[in-house]
Amino acid sequence: MTSTLGRASRVRWQIAGLAGLGTVITNIDRSTISVALPFMGHDLHIPPLVEGLVLSWFFLAYAIVLLPAGVLVDKLGARLVYGVGGLLWGIATLATAAVTGIASLLGLRLLLGIGEASQYPSCIQATQRWFPSRERTTATGLWDMGARVGGVITLPLVAGIIAVAGWRVAFLVVGALALLWAVGWLIEYRDPQRHRRVNARERELIGTAGSDAAPADRPRARWRELFRHRSTWALILGYFCFNYTAYFFITWFPSYLVKDRGFDLLKLGFFGAIPGLVAVVTELASGFLQDRFIVRGRNPIRVRKGFIVSGMLVSSVIALAVLVPSAGAALALLAVSYGALLIGGPSLGTFPAIYAPSSSQTGALAGVQNSAGNVAGFLGPIVTGAIITATGSFVLPLVLTGAIAVIGAMTFLVILPNRGHAAVEADQAAVGAV
């Protein structure tokens, strides 16, 4: 039946953009340490093994707090949890400018992780509530791409500020960005039914186009029952492997270019942004293409699995970067690796809505999935730092990262079921209604 309510407003895309801007800023704030650490390490006398601990400490708090953060999002909503989280991580970033030793630095990294844990489950809930099924992968790619945009911006922005004013000023600038965004989110975000700028046609589109989420009338499973499902364990292991690979680029990548490939601050700021730029393009294109395949009648779960499996397999070329003699060739391989990995980024954001036992537990499953991924963010930098300390080289860390990417691809291919708790038919019905 054709609606007579006129053209739909497009507020949902503005919401996705605002959520994505938050993702950009979270990744700038968490990644500033990676660019600043070679200079902070000199000023604060931090040895390489402790540098790895500093890089990973954020992810310890992030991984632990993601579990209750997902539950809080289900109970309190994305507006409050994401907004208050933004205020918290902005304060932590600002305060990093004043650190005088390792203890205070580690404490603020923990606080940063607590605040930023609000981002992922909040964005997933916002996508579920604001977008019909056929647009959900594109929307997910839009906000998740913010992580790559943040990485691209961080290198030239932070390197430039450090060159002009020092690393302490860099933390002041990026912390202020977080506080401004948090205020904007709290003012602007509402659910579609309550948002003043959403017209009736857009509400109809959002509410009747179908959903690939678990049915709302399904009895709510207990939180611990999530772990009884094979799909939950597949998401845990698969996302661990995905993030182990991704967070090399967020943590040790700048140090690799400086220490192993001889990049100075200018080259780091310019050429170091290339892998992130490639990843921005591939992730956005992936989200768009996945939705096009689904609209044309392809099985949604198979499409999303196919993209993430193929991307992670290609991403394993990160291991080959250690074999090439030139810095340019190594950078090219790393760009291919990061770009291929992020082909699967939009898929990951849709999985919690598909595999949650109840639609009221989408945030909880998102928290579990992302918590597992950020255990990798905690362990990866420590493992890399320990191996570099023992061998004096990045060879083994890069080879290990490539192997873990392959394990992740096999996990999504073999262990993750081809049917979710919501049933694929719900997604296909939504496509058929277009």
Side-chain angles (χ1 to χ4, degrees), residues 29 109 165 195 225 278 380:
D29 285 12
R109 294 298 289 175
H195 201 288
E225 289 180 1
V278 174

Side-chain angles (χ1 to χ4, degrees), residues 55-390:
L55 290 170
S56 67
W57 210 240
F58 158 86
F59 297 104
L60 175 64
Y62 191 69
I64 293 172
V65 177
L66 269 167
L67 298 173
V71 176
L72 281 176
V73 169
D74 287 335
K75 291 184 176 181
L76 302 178
R79 174 177 176 266
L80 184 62
V81 175
Y82 203 6
V84 172
L87 295 174
L88 193 60
W89 88 67
I91 291 169
T93 305
L94 283 171
T96 304
V99 296
T100 57
I102 295 172
S104 58
L105 179 58
L106 291 176
L108 289 170
R109 294 298 289 175
L110 285 175
L111 185 61
L112 181 72
I114 292 170
E116 291 201 5
S118 63
Q119 179 261 322
Y120 190 80
S122 295
C123 287
I124 285 181
Q125 187 195 78
T127 304
Q128 181 187 5
R129 293 189 177 180
W130 272 91
F131 286 88
S133 178
R134 66 177 183 271
E135 296 177 345
R136 209 166 280 163
T137 318
T138 300
T140 300
L142 181 62
W143 61 255
D144 192 59
M145 182 185 66
R148 264 47 67 189
V149 174
V152 170
I153 294 173
T154 299
L155 279 166
L157 173 65
V158 176
I161 295 173
I162 292 173
V164 173
W167 60 266
R168 295 186 187 274
V169 176
F171 284 103
L172 290 175
V173 172
V174 299
L177 290 176
L179 295 179
L180 289 172
W181 173 86
V183 172
W185 176 264
L186 288 167
I187 292 172
E188 175 63 18
Y189 185 86
R190 299 292 188 278
D191 283 345
Q193 297 78 12
R194 300 178 180 177
H195 201 288
R196 65 189 183 281
R197 293 189 290 107
V198 177
N199 66 16
R201 179 67 185 96
E202 185 171 22
R203 288 194 181 96
E204 179 188 66
L205 185 151
I206 293 169
T208 64
S211 172
D212 58 0
D217 58 355
R218 184 188 297 271
R220 181 184 177 92
R222 294 182 180 180
W223 188 85
R224 64 178 179 272
E225 289 180 1
L226 291 173
F227 298 96
R228 297 180 180 178
H229 298 284
R230 166 183 158 190
S231 57
T232 300
W233 290 104
L235 294 179
I236 287 172
L237 178 58
Y239 202 33
F240 178 94
C241 296
F242 182 93
N243 262 14
Y244 191 100
T245 308
Y247 278 118
F248 173 82
F249 293 92
I250 296 172
T251 57
W252 279 103
F253 173 64
S255 292
Y256 169 72
L257 294 182
V258 171
K259 295 179 179 180
D260 240 38
R261 293 296 181 173
F263 280 46
D264 57 23
L265 192 59
L266 180 61
K267 288 182 178 179
L268 176 64
F270 184 77
F271 293 106
I274 292 175
L277 285 171
V278 174
V280 167
V281 174
T282 56
E283 182 163 19
L284 189 59
S286 173
F288 176 81
L289 289 173
Q290 288 186 52
D291 280 346
R292 299 286 73 75
F293 281 126
I294 292 169
V295 166
R296 292 173 183 173
R298 300 289 182 89
N299 182 295
I301 294 180
R302 291 185 183 275
V303 167
R304 289 161 179 162
K305 284 181 60 175
F307 272 73
I308 195 168
V309 169
S310 59
M312 292 189 74
L313 287 175
V314 175
S315 183
S316 65
V317 300
I318 190 173
L320 302 180
V322 299
L323 301 178
V324 296
S326 73
L331 184 61
L333 284 169
L334 291 169
V336 170
S337 174
Y338 200 27
L341 182 71
L342 269 297
I343 289 173
S347 301
L348 283 167
T350 65
F351 286 153
I354 296 172
Y355 292 103
S358 165
S359 61
S360 62
Q361 289 187 296
T362 299
L365 183 57
V368 169
Q369 173 184 276
N370 209 32
S371 178
N374 285 281
V375 170
F378 172 68
L379 293 177
I382 293 176
V383 171
T384 298
I387 295 175
I388 293 170
T389 299

Side-chain angles (χ1 to χ4, degrees), residues 30-50:
R30 78 178 62 167
S31 301
T32 295
I33 191 79
S34 300
V35 183
L37 195 56
F39 311 97
M40 295 175 69
H42 178 268
D43 292 348
L44 302 178
H45 308 290
I46 305 174
L49 185 59
V50 179

